[in-house]
Amino acid sequence: MDELPRISDSEWEIMKVIWAKSPATAADVIHALRDNKSWKEKTIKTLISRLLQKGILTYEQVNRVYYYTPTISEEECKRTERESFLQRVYGGALKPMLVHFLQEEKLSSQEIAELKKILSDKEK
Amino acid sequence: MDELPRISDSEWEIMKVIWAKSPATAADVIHALRDNKSWKEKTIKTLISRLLQKGILTYEQVNRVYYYTPTISEEECKRTERESFLQRVYGGALKPMLVHFLQEEKLSSQEIAELKKILSDKEK
DNA sequence: CATTAACGACTACAAGTGTAATCGATAAAC
DNA sequence: GTTTATCGATTACACTTGTAGTCGTTAATG
């Protein structure tokens, strides 16, 4: 993969569904998003088409049903997004970003313990 | 401020300069970005105009020199971006996002210590 | 078989973005 | 004073994004 194309906000919604249910049909996606998104079916179809064009999805046709599969892993996309967010908003400065998130958001004490453990492990 | 408009990637570059040097002229921005961005002056002017239109900048004219000032604080914009990133990519799940960042990126042992302290304080 | 329903393909269209160039006014330089 | 250099305002233009609608084919229904 030479250059990974941008995935827009709306496209992310589609991708999250398809990553979760890997060979997914358009109907699957429509069904999965029916409740939390007020998109028309056609809108979802359009987004899927664009993801195909961008090469982020492929499909396999079985009895005239299209099964869509991601060509990029969710982890890879997430990493790209993390990098781009970190760069764009914090100029790449990791610690200040983490501090903001930690101070701003809520975490259970169990989650805090896990994070501390990760940090300790990292400390080596 | 009712609805805060989106700040695009390029616009962020401009804003970072202006936040850093609060009443800034176009020349200041052009100068600050000359090295790491290959934008033409006109491009920077356009971006500044759009930020004005969006109401994210105001200007004060002193002897035909325009001094631009942000109307929104950097912290507020960062918070918005953090929220949007967290929501879009991780569906709002804070801990997994933090785990990814912690595992993937480099931190000095001092930074690790600081983060652990923040976590401990949070634990209360 | 003919009608209809469903699906993907193609078309639509305005707003936002990246990336500038041109225009018009005015200030600085001769 | 006239020319020129600046500066912001206006215009340009293709691509992306959000948000669908229409078309043509084919499958299911009757």
Side-chain angles (χ1 to χ4, degrees), chain B residues 90-104:
Chain B
Y90 285 89
L94 179 63
K95 205 208 62 178
M97 190 268 300
L98 291 174
V99 170
H100 282 166
F101 265 119
L102 290 179
Q103 284 175 339
E104 187 98 7

PDB file of all heavy atoms in Angstrom, chain B residues 90-104:
ATOM      1  N   TYR B  90     -12.251   5.930  18.335  1.00  0.00           N
ATOM      2  CA  TYR B  90     -12.404   4.923  19.388  1.00  0.00           C
ATOM      3  C   TYR B  90     -13.825   4.841  19.927  1.00  0.00           C
ATOM      4  O   TYR B  90     -14.041   4.213  20.961  1.00  0.00           O
ATOM      5  CB  TYR B  90     -11.417   5.215  20.526  1.00  0.00           C
ATOM      6  CG  TYR B  90     -10.002   4.834  20.149  1.00  0.00           C
ATOM      7  CD1 TYR B  90      -9.160   5.732  19.512  1.00  0.00           C
ATOM      8  CD2 TYR B  90      -9.507   3.559  20.403  1.00  0.00           C
ATOM      9  CE1 TYR B  90      -7.873   5.381  19.142  1.00  0.00           C
ATOM     10  CE2 TYR B  90      -8.217   3.191  20.039  1.00  0.00           C
ATOM     11  CZ  TYR B  90      -7.421   4.107  19.409  1.00  0.00           C
ATOM     12  OH  TYR B  90      -6.151   3.747  19.032  1.00  0.00           O
ATOM     13  N   GLY B  91     -14.743   5.472  19.247  1.00  0.00           N
ATOM     14  CA  GLY B  91     -16.117   5.445  19.728  1.00  0.00           C
ATOM     15  C   GLY B  91     -16.254   5.954  21.145  1.00  0.00           C
ATOM     16  O   GLY B  91     -17.172   5.589  21.869  1.00  0.00           O
ATOM     17  N   GLY B  92     -15.316   6.785  21.573  1.00  0.00           N
ATOM     18  CA  GLY B  92     -15.395   7.364  22.902  1.00  0.00           C
ATOM     19  C   GLY B  92     -14.704   6.562  23.990  1.00  0.00           C
ATOM     20  O   GLY B  92     -14.699   6.970  25.157  1.00  0.00           O
ATOM     21  N   ALA B  93     -14.125   5.435  23.631  1.00  0.00           N
ATOM     22  CA  ALA B  93     -13.506   4.575  24.650  1.00  0.00           C
ATOM     23  C   ALA B  93     -12.103   5.081  24.989  1.00  0.00           C
ATOM     24  O   ALA B  93     -11.146   4.870  24.246  1.00  0.00           O
ATOM     25  CB  ALA B  93     -13.456   3.139  24.152  1.00  0.00           C
ATOM     26  N   LEU B  94     -12.018   5.731  26.123  1.00  0.00           N
ATOM     27  CA  LEU B  94     -10.765   6.394  26.490  1.00  0.00           C
ATOM     28  C   LEU B  94      -9.615   5.429  26.737  1.00  0.00           C
ATOM     29  O   LEU B  94      -8.520   5.588  26.205  1.00  0.00           O
ATOM     30  CB  LEU B  94     -11.005   7.243  27.739  1.00  0.00           C
ATOM     31  CG  LEU B  94      -9.798   7.986  28.290  1.00  0.00           C
ATOM     32  CD1 LEU B  94      -9.277   8.997  27.281  1.00  0.00           C
ATOM     33  CD2 LEU B  94     -10.154   8.686  29.600  1.00  0.00           C
ATOM     34  N   LYS B  95      -9.871   4.421  27.562  1.00  0.00           N
ATOM     35  CA  LYS B  95      -8.728   3.598  27.973  1.00  0.00           C
ATOM     36  C   LYS B  95      -8.044   2.901  26.814  1.00  0.00           C
ATOM     37  O   LYS B  95      -6.803   2.966  26.723  1.00  0.00           O
ATOM     38  CB  LYS B  95      -9.123   2.582  29.043  1.00  0.00           C
ATOM     39  CG  LYS B  95      -7.934   2.184  29.884  1.00  0.00           C
ATOM     40  CD  LYS B  95      -8.055   0.799  30.459  1.00  0.00           C
ATOM     41  CE  LYS B  95      -8.139  -0.232  29.358  1.00  0.00           C
ATOM     42  NZ  LYS B  95      -8.204  -1.596  29.900  1.00  0.00           N
ATOM     43  N   PRO B  96      -8.766   2.254  25.917  1.00  0.00           N
ATOM     44  CA  PRO B  96      -8.072   1.608  24.799  1.00  0.00           C
ATOM     45  C   PRO B  96      -7.219   2.592  24.006  1.00  0.00           C
ATOM     46  O   PRO B  96      -6.112   2.270  23.587  1.00  0.00           O
ATOM     47  CB  PRO B  96      -9.217   1.080  23.940  1.00  0.00           C
ATOM     48  CG  PRO B  96     -10.365   0.943  24.862  1.00  0.00           C
ATOM     49  CD  PRO B  96     -10.215   2.021  25.880  1.00  0.00           C
ATOM     50  N   MET B  97      -7.721   3.787  23.859  1.00  0.00           N
ATOM     51  CA  MET B  97      -6.965   4.795  23.118  1.00  0.00           C
ATOM     52  C   MET B  97      -5.674   5.109  23.844  1.00  0.00           C
ATOM     53  O   MET B  97      -4.591   5.114  23.255  1.00  0.00           O
ATOM     54  CB  MET B  97      -7.845   6.034  22.977  1.00  0.00           C
ATOM     55  CG  MET B  97      -7.334   7.085  22.047  1.00  0.00           C
ATOM     56  SD  MET B  97      -6.358   8.300  22.900  1.00  0.00           S
ATOM     57  CE  MET B  97      -7.524   8.937  24.070  1.00  0.00           C
ATOM     58  N   LEU B  98      -5.779   5.307  25.147  1.00  0.00           N
ATOM     59  CA  LEU B  98      -4.567   5.603  25.916  1.00  0.00           C
ATOM     60  C   LEU B  98      -3.583   4.440  25.846  1.00  0.00           C
ATOM     61  O   LEU B  98      -2.380   4.639  25.674  1.00  0.00           O
ATOM     62  CB  LEU B  98      -4.940   5.884  27.376  1.00  0.00           C
ATOM     63  CG  LEU B  98      -5.707   7.194  27.585  1.00  0.00           C
ATOM     64  CD1 LEU B  98      -6.148   7.310  29.041  1.00  0.00           C
ATOM     65  CD2 LEU B  98      -4.854   8.396  27.190  1.00  0.00           C
ATOM     66  N   VAL B  99      -4.096   3.239  25.948  1.00  0.00           N
ATOM     67  CA  VAL B  99      -3.219   2.075  25.888  1.00  0.00           C
ATOM     68  C   VAL B  99      -2.456   2.054  24.566  1.00  0.00           C
ATOM     69  O   VAL B  99      -1.247   1.846  24.539  1.00  0.00           O
ATOM     70  CB  VAL B  99      -4.035   0.774  26.068  1.00  0.00           C
ATOM     71  CG1 VAL B  99      -3.177  -0.442  25.751  1.00  0.00           C
ATOM     72  CG2 VAL B  99      -4.588   0.688  27.481  1.00  0.00           C
ATOM     73  N   HIS B 100      -3.158   2.305  23.490  1.00  0.00           N
ATOM     74  CA  HIS B 100      -2.475   2.317  22.201  1.00  0.00           C
ATOM     75  C   HIS B 100      -1.361   3.354  22.163  1.00  0.00           C
ATOM     76  O   HIS B 100      -0.245   3.075  21.744  1.00  0.00           O
ATOM     77  CB  HIS B 100      -3.475   2.608  21.075  1.00  0.00           C
ATOM     78  CG  HIS B 100      -4.297   1.419  20.710  1.00  0.00           C
ATOM     79  ND1 HIS B 100      -5.416   1.501  19.942  1.00  0.00           N
ATOM     80  CD2 HIS B 100      -4.142   0.107  21.015  1.00  0.00           C
ATOM     81  CE1 HIS B 100      -5.937   0.283  19.795  1.00  0.00           C
ATOM     82  NE2 HIS B 100      -5.178  -0.559  20.437  1.00  0.00           N
ATOM     83  N   PHE B 101      -1.701   4.532  22.606  1.00  0.00           N
ATOM     84  CA  PHE B 101      -0.681   5.590  22.576  1.00  0.00           C
ATOM     85  C   PHE B 101       0.502   5.213  23.461  1.00  0.00           C
ATOM     86  O   PHE B 101       1.662   5.389  23.088  1.00  0.00           O
ATOM     87  CB  PHE B 101      -1.268   6.917  23.066  1.00  0.00           C
ATOM     88  CG  PHE B 101      -1.764   7.801  21.957  1.00  0.00           C
ATOM     89  CD1 PHE B 101      -3.094   8.175  21.900  1.00  0.00           C
ATOM     90  CD2 PHE B 101      -0.898   8.280  20.985  1.00  0.00           C
ATOM     91  CE1 PHE B 101      -3.559   9.010  20.882  1.00  0.00           C
ATOM     92  CE2 PHE B 101      -1.352   9.117  19.968  1.00  0.00           C
ATOM     93  CZ  PHE B 101      -2.687   9.478  19.918  1.00  0.00           C
ATOM     94  N   LEU B 102       0.197   4.711  24.620  1.00  0.00           N
ATOM     95  CA  LEU B 102       1.289   4.393  25.550  1.00  0.00           C
ATOM     96  C   LEU B 102       2.169   3.293  24.987  1.00  0.00           C
ATOM     97  O   LEU B 102       3.390   3.334  25.104  1.00  0.00           O
ATOM     98  CB  LEU B 102       0.723   3.965  26.904  1.00  0.00           C
ATOM     99  CG  LEU B 102       0.053   5.068  27.718  1.00  0.00           C
ATOM    100  CD1 LEU B 102      -0.484   4.501  29.022  1.00  0.00           C
ATOM    101  CD2 LEU B 102       1.036   6.199  27.988  1.00  0.00           C
ATOM    102  N   GLN B 103       1.537   2.314  24.373  1.00  0.00           N
ATOM    103  CA  GLN B 103       2.333   1.198  23.880  1.00  0.00           C
ATOM    104  C   GLN B 103       3.143   1.571  22.652  1.00  0.00           C
ATOM    105  O   GLN B 103       4.245   1.079  22.460  1.00  0.00           O
ATOM    106  CB  GLN B 103       1.422   0.010  23.576  1.00  0.00           C
ATOM    107  CG  GLN B 103       0.979  -0.685  24.850  1.00  0.00           C
ATOM    108  CD  GLN B 103      -0.015  -1.780  24.601  1.00  0.00           C
ATOM    109  OE1 GLN B 103      -0.677  -1.802  23.566  1.00  0.00           O
ATOM    110  NE2 GLN B 103      -0.131  -2.691  25.563  1.00  0.00           N
ATOM    111  N   GLU B 104       2.569   2.439  21.857  1.00  0.00           N
ATOM    112  CA  GLU B 104       3.190   2.710  20.566  1.00  0.00           C
ATOM    113  C   GLU B 104       4.307   3.734  20.630  1.00  0.00           C
ATOM    114  O   GLU B 104       5.275   3.636  19.890  1.00  0.00           O
ATOM    115  CB  GLU B 104       2.106   3.237  19.614  1.00  0.00           C
ATOM    116  CG  GLU B 104       2.573   3.405  18.205  1.00  0.00           C
ATOM    117  CD  GLU B 104       2.147   2.196  17.386  1.00  0.00           C
ATOM    118  OE1 GLU B 104       1.405   1.344  17.917  1.00  0.00           O
ATOM    119  OE2 GLU B 104       2.546   2.120  16.238  1.00  0.00           O
TER     120      GLU B 104
END
